[in-house]
Amino acid sequence: MGSGWSSEEERQPLLAPGLGPAPGAAWRSREAAAALPAAAPSPGRVYGRRWLVLLLFSLLGFAQGLVWNTWGPIQNSARQAYGFSSWDIALLVLWGPIGFLPCFAFMWLLDKRGLRITVLLTSFLMVLGTGLRCIPVSDLTLKRRLIHGGQLLNGLAGPTVMNAAPFLSTTWFSADERATATAIASMLSYLGGACAFLVGPLVVPAPNGTAPLLASENSRTHIKDLIETVLYAEFGGVCLLFSATLAYFPPRPPLPPSVAAASQRLSYRRSFCRLLSNLRFLMIALAYAIPLGVFAGWSGVLDLILTPVHVSQVDAGWIGFWSIVGGCVVGIAMARFADFIRGMLKLILLLLFSGATLSSTWFTLTCLNSITHLPLTTVTLYASCILLGVFLNSSIPIFFELFVETVYPVPEGITCGVVTFLSNMFMGILLFFLTFYHTELSWFNWCLPGSCLLSLLLILCFRESYDRLYLDVVVSV
């Protein structure tokens, strides 16, 4: 933490004098670090409670993703129950990236007050947001406004659950567990969004006209009651998580797990100067932000995109579910592999985005089967969407670790906050255009392979470095 932006307690050294890195060790180049004399063994220690902290944070991210994606998978049912328009559906998804506008305030809070205060504030915002959606009112106009307000408050929780995973892994986990912890903490938010694809369509029936009663007032009331059941369940889960976090969520362990966790970081202001002046960071940040922002917006309205090709709401939900679940599983596996075989992050990203480019092209051309004459079946749609989700979602923790390694000693929360802000900015721009061109979505599909190809080229030109890992290896030996 920067001394100008931290409390007196946080400015105290985490390691005993003489046991940590030499003064300024985290700031030296590789050549300078290699010239350092052999240091004493690192006193880094890991605690079993780190898994409980990781579990609480991951479940919080899961709940935030679940609440954010409540309406996309059941947009047809929500239209009938609450009178939502196409603009309303898009805006409900758009509140997620809008919630990232005060992202830098949350990064400042994380840098100054630490993890516990930031997580408590985040969970409290989620309690308010989910509770606001459950207020029983008969006026549909007022109900829609309450739902929009609740989605906005939940969106404000996004900066923490999306940005703080590398900060948590560095604070609590050793160097050979960091990537795995980052993957678990960051992937659970996406898994929550995936479960929304599953829970919503299975609990709430779609008004697809297959049953005569769906058009009646009784059917509308029945759908509305089931939607409110989902809202109450989400509210209860978020309240339980807030209570658990309030009861136990320590800001950091008694002793740091690694030399990097104990070393001094740049201040809040100097961090931004370092990030904005680092061309390599800006290159890899765009490689992350553009395709992941496009994919997030595309996933949020997947039901709307697949409707013209006669895919039902339930099938769209299953496609979205398995694409994100597959990405979470592969992402954690890739991160574990990166912990064992260090220095391979760029190669892993090249392989993942090569697959993402091919699978997104396959999906786009399949949707244009009247021109390409490719078979448009449930199998091909499932396969192309799931592969796309696997390749893109599994790249997220690898990107996060590469960001931190590239710009170390910039604090992890600030680094990841900048890139997720950019990603949500691209997502918001696309959803904004979607509100005006929602009747023609073929352009949205073409954004996917274009963004993946651009990211692949940027990764190819990127020169990787592992400054944080190098510090741990050199000083700990």
Side-chain angles (χ1 to χ4, degrees):
M1 305 294 178
S3 59
W5 296 85
S6 303
S7 64
E8 183 64 30
E9 179 185 358
E10 289 180 321
R11 288 199 293 270
Q12 298 302 317
L14 293 175
L15 294 183
L19 294 179
W27 313 83
R28 302 177 187 231
S29 63
R30 293 192 177 190
E31 294 77 14
L36 289 173
S42 172
R45 177 183 173 185
V46 293
Y47 297 83
R49 73 192 77 168
R50 70 191 187 279
W51 297 109
L52 177 59
V53 173
L54 178 63
L55 176 64
L56 288 175
F57 183 87
S58 301
L59 289 177
L60 193 66
F62 177 90
Q64 199 273 340
L66 180 68
V67 174
W68 169 74
N69 198 30
T70 298
W71 303 101
I74 58 171
Q75 53 105 4
N76 290 327
S77 303
R79 290 173 190 268
Q80 178 168 334
Y82 297 105
F84 282 128
S85 63
S86 298
W87 162 254
D88 285 315
I89 297 297
L91 186 59
L92 288 171
V93 179
L94 193 59
W95 288 126
I98 290 176
F100 271 78
L101 291 178
C103 175
F104 300 110
F106 284 92
M107 290 188 292
W108 173 83
L109 184 65
L110 182 64
D111 187 40
K112 183 176 181 180
R113 295 299 182 185
L115 194 60
R116 175 176 171 81
I117 298 299
T118 309
V119 169
L120 284 176
L121 175 60
T122 296
S123 57
F124 181 67
L125 288 173
M126 292 175 59
V127 169
L128 291 179
T130 53
L132 201 62
R133 304 185 310 169
C134 296
I135 296 178
V137 293
S138 57
D139 186 353
L140 288 182
T141 300
L142 179 58
K143 184 66 175 181
R144 288 194 295 267
R145 291 176 180 175
L146 290 174
I147 290 174
H148 280 291
Q151 293 299 120
L152 173 59
L153 289 173
N154 182 76
L156 292 174
T160 300
V161 300
M162 297 295 294
N163 300 338
F167 180 86
L168 183 146
S169 64
T170 300
T171 303
W172 284 92
F173 289 83
S174 60
D176 58 352
E177 295 176 335
R178 281 197 298 243
T180 304
T182 298
I184 295 174
S186 59
M187 289 288 94
L188 263 291
S189 176
Y190 292 88
L191 187 60
C195 286
F197 282 110
L198 179 63
V199 173
L202 288 182
V203 175
V204 181
N208 52 17
T210 57
L213 291 178
L214 288 176
S216 67
E217 180 64 23
N218 290 335
S219 176
R220 188 192 71 82
T221 303
H222 177 62
I223 291 176
K224 184 172 179 289
D225 290 340
L226 291 176
I227 292 177
E228 290 182 350
T229 300
V230 174
L231 299 184
Y232 279 115
E234 292 175 349
F235 175 59
V238 169
C239 288
L240 184 62
L241 282 174
F242 175 70
S243 301
T245 305
L246 186 63
Y248 183 79
F249 198 93
R252 61 185 181 188
L255 287 175
S258 64
V259 173
S263 62
Q264 185 75 2
R265 303 304 176 87
L266 293 179
S267 68
Y268 185 77
R269 291 174 178 175
R270 292 187 63 191
S271 296
F272 277 99
C273 294
R274 176 71 66 89
L275 293 177
L276 296 179
S277 62
N278 191 324
L279 294 179
R280 291 194 305 122
F281 169 75
L282 295 177
M283 178 185 299
I284 200 67
L286 289 177
Y288 167 87
I290 296 176
L292 269 299
V294 171
F295 180 70
W298 178 83
S299 299
V301 291
L302 183 60
D303 186 17
L304 199 61
I305 290 174
L306 294 178
T307 298
V309 291
H310 309 292
V311 175
S312 68
Q313 180 172 284
V314 174
D315 281 335
W318 280 111
I319 290 174
F321 174 78
W322 287 115
S323 65
I324 300 177
V325 169
C328 293
V329 173
V330 174
I332 295 174
M334 286 290 183
R336 195 64 192 142
F337 173 77
D339 276 332
F340 280 111
I341 311 296
R342 301 176 183 177
M344 304 282 288
L345 298 180
K346 177 179 176 178
L347 178 60
I348 294 174
L349 288 176
L350 286 174
L351 294 175
L352 292 176
F353 271 86
S354 296
T357 303
L358 294 175
S359 56
S360 59
T361 303
W362 179 22
F363 172 82
T364 302
L365 294 178
T366 299
C367 291
L368 297 174
N369 67 318
S370 60
I371 300 176
T372 62
H373 302 292
L374 292 175
L376 179 61
T377 64
T378 303
V379 175
T380 57
L381 289 175
Y382 263 76
S384 57
C385 287
I386 291 173
L387 285 175
L388 177 61
V390 166
F391 288 128
L392 286 181
N393 287 321
S394 61
S395 71
I396 294 171
I398 306 301
F399 265 122
F400 280 1
E401 288 296 300
L402 188 58
F403 293 145
V404 175
E405 296 286 354
T406 301
V407 298
Y408 185 85
V410 175
E412 292 83 356
I414 295 177
T415 302
C416 296
V418 170
V419 295
T420 52
F421 178 82
L422 291 174
S423 176
N424 278 272
M425 183 183 69
F426 282 109
M427 173 185 171
I429 291 173
L430 283 174
L431 290 177
F432 178 77
F433 279 108
L434 182 63
T435 59
F436 295 99
Y437 301 99
H438 58 272
T439 57
E440 177 55 54
L441 296 176
S442 60
W443 64 272
F444 207 171
N445 289 336
W446 280 110
C447 289
L448 282 171
S451 61
C452 290
L453 180 60
L454 175 61
S455 179
L456 182 62
L457 296 176
L458 290 173
I459 296 172
L460 276 171
C461 299
F462 174 73
R463 179 174 58 84
E464 60 188 333
S465 63
Y466 299 89
D467 299 337
R468 181 184 58 169
L469 178 61
Y470 192 81
L471 174 67
D472 278 327
V473 172
V474 170
V475 179
S476 299
V477 174

